[in-house]
Amino acid sequence: MIREIRTGGDYSHLNEETTKGLGNLKFYHPMGTFSLTPASNILLKAIIDNQNLFSGIGIDWGCGVGCLALLAARIKSVRKIYGLDISEQNIDAAVINTDINNLNEKVHFMIADSYKPYSPENRAELERLKGKFNFILANPPSSHGDDGFEFRRTILKGSKDYLIGDGIVLLNISLQYGIKRVESLCNEIEGVEYLGITASSGFVPFDLSRPDLLDCLNIYAREEQNGGYLYSFGMDGDDDFLSAQEALDLHKKTGRSPLTKWQTHIFINKA
């Protein structure tokens, strides 16, 4: 990944060697939008390394400036991708990136709240395609006011309305959420089957010098205290895992941050 800084924003580049035959791509990130994050890069890797999984039409849920949708659109067997995002600024940037990469015929970006586009025309188009999508991509943020996992539940519950039988969802869920919470998605949503991890980083710090992440850890610890599934943080090795409360206690004693991994998981619609 190469970043090119420009006044008013910057650019990220993927070269053809990195994309394994999908060509060179260039993404513009205007000021006020997010550049590619480590989580974004893991899902990009999952797409690049599993090109055989993609065909037909897809959805990029929470598409941001369009990087995932545009990469997947380069796969020859993919006919069309619909990118959905609640931010008008993100959608404006995604349209620019579609022009930059000459993918106008294969990608359509829509301002939407989850699966609900704002414009009547876009809403009608997505409604018409219910039950016909082959895949969904999603790199959601943590949700607020709950266990941090609600956007992921929303994505998988909504996927049932849009996917064909055996349609897939590639969903980013980092290590700290714990495998029981991941597997619980299938218990809550009939017909969704969990197939495992398709891309993962190594251990990276869950940086508690950041107030937002420290706030998340406190929320996680409260969720555990209220009977929720345990979270799962690394510390010194692959076999050493801490609950959120244990990670919080250790941070208070030593100032150390626990570890997590950026991961992409795959689910399939079996109903």
Side-chain angles (χ1 to χ4, degrees):
M1 176 66 62
I2 301 170
R3 289 189 63 198
E4 172 188 350
I5 308 300
R6 293 289 177 85
T7 301
D10 61 16
Y11 292 88
S12 297
H13 299 258
L14 292 174
N15 61 39
E16 190 164 5
E17 182 179 1
T18 300
T19 66
K20 298 182 180 179
L22 298 181
N24 300 307
L25 290 115
K26 182 176 182 177
F27 307 122
Y28 176 50
H29 309 280
M31 292 182 66
T33 65
F34 287 108
S35 298
L36 288 175
T37 65
S40 303
N41 286 329
I42 283 297
L43 190 40
L44 288 169
K45 176 176 168 54
I47 295 167
I48 291 166
D49 290 345
N50 296 276
Q51 296 177 37
N52 61 302
L53 297 179
F54 299 96
S55 62
I57 60 174
I59 291 173
D60 181 359
W61 189 101
C63 63
V65 300
C67 304
L68 301 174
L70 294 168
L71 175 66
R74 282 285 182 83
I75 299 171
K76 289 183 179 179
S77 55
V78 171
R79 298 197 311 274
K80 187 101 175 185
I81 300 183
Y82 294 81
L84 312 177
D85 199 285
I86 199 168
S87 165
E88 184 174 357
Q89 186 178 19
N90 281 346
I91 293 297
D92 287 344
V95 171
I96 292 170
N97 285 326
T98 305
D99 290 335
I100 290 173
N101 293 288
N102 195 28
L103 285 164
N104 302 77
E105 294 184 2
K106 294 190 72 173
V107 185
H108 184 188
F109 291 107
M110 304 174 173
I111 303 172
D113 184 358
S114 190
Y115 292 101
K116 298 177 181 177
Y118 285 176
S119 87
E121 294 82 8
N122 287 339
R123 197 177 311 125
E125 183 169 6
L126 218 60
E127 185 73 20
R128 176 178 60 83
L129 293 170
K130 276 188 172 180
K132 298 180 181 179
F133 285 93
N134 301 86
F135 64 91
I136 295 171
L137 308 170
N139 176 28
S142 295
S143 54
H144 298 286
D146 49 45
D147 62 351
F149 213 59
E150 191 58 33
F151 287 140
R152 291 161 176 87
R153 296 186 184 97
T154 297
I155 290 161
L156 281 181
K157 288 175 183 176
S159 75
K160 298 291 298 172
D161 292 331
Y162 291 92
L163 288 176
I164 62 169
D166 290 340
I168 60 171
V169 180
L170 266 68
L171 178 61
N172 270 10
I173 306 173
S174 49
L175 175 75
Q176 77 263 12
Y177 285 110
I179 191 62
K180 288 187 177 180
R181 189 171 276 100
V182 175
E183 292 174 343
S184 74
L185 291 169
C186 298
N187 298 329
E188 297 171 13
I189 308 165
E190 185 178 355
V192 171
E193 182 178 334
Y194 176 55
L195 298 184
I197 297 168
T198 190
S200 179
S201 72
F203 279 112
V204 295
F206 191 81
D207 185 3
L208 297 181
S209 68
R210 286 176 45 180
D212 59 327
L213 294 185
L214 182 57
D215 185 52
C216 280
L217 187 58
N218 277 285
I219 291 170
Y220 296 164
R222 286 197 295 271
E223 175 69 14
E224 290 176 346
Q225 292 167 6
N226 292 331
Y229 294 111
L230 293 180
Y231 292 81
S232 182
F233 289 90
M235 186 46 70
D236 294 318
D238 287 1
D239 297 326
D240 298 326
F241 289 97
L242 306 176
S243 68
Q245 186 61 60
E246 289 169 337
L248 187 61
D249 290 343
L250 186 66
H251 175 68
K252 289 177 180 177
K253 290 178 182 178
T254 69
R256 295 171 65 188
S257 292
L259 305 175
T260 189
K261 294 182 181 181
W262 307 110
Q263 296 179 325
T264 300
H265 300 247
I266 184 168
F267 299 81
I268 189 169
N269 176 28
K270 299 300 293 185

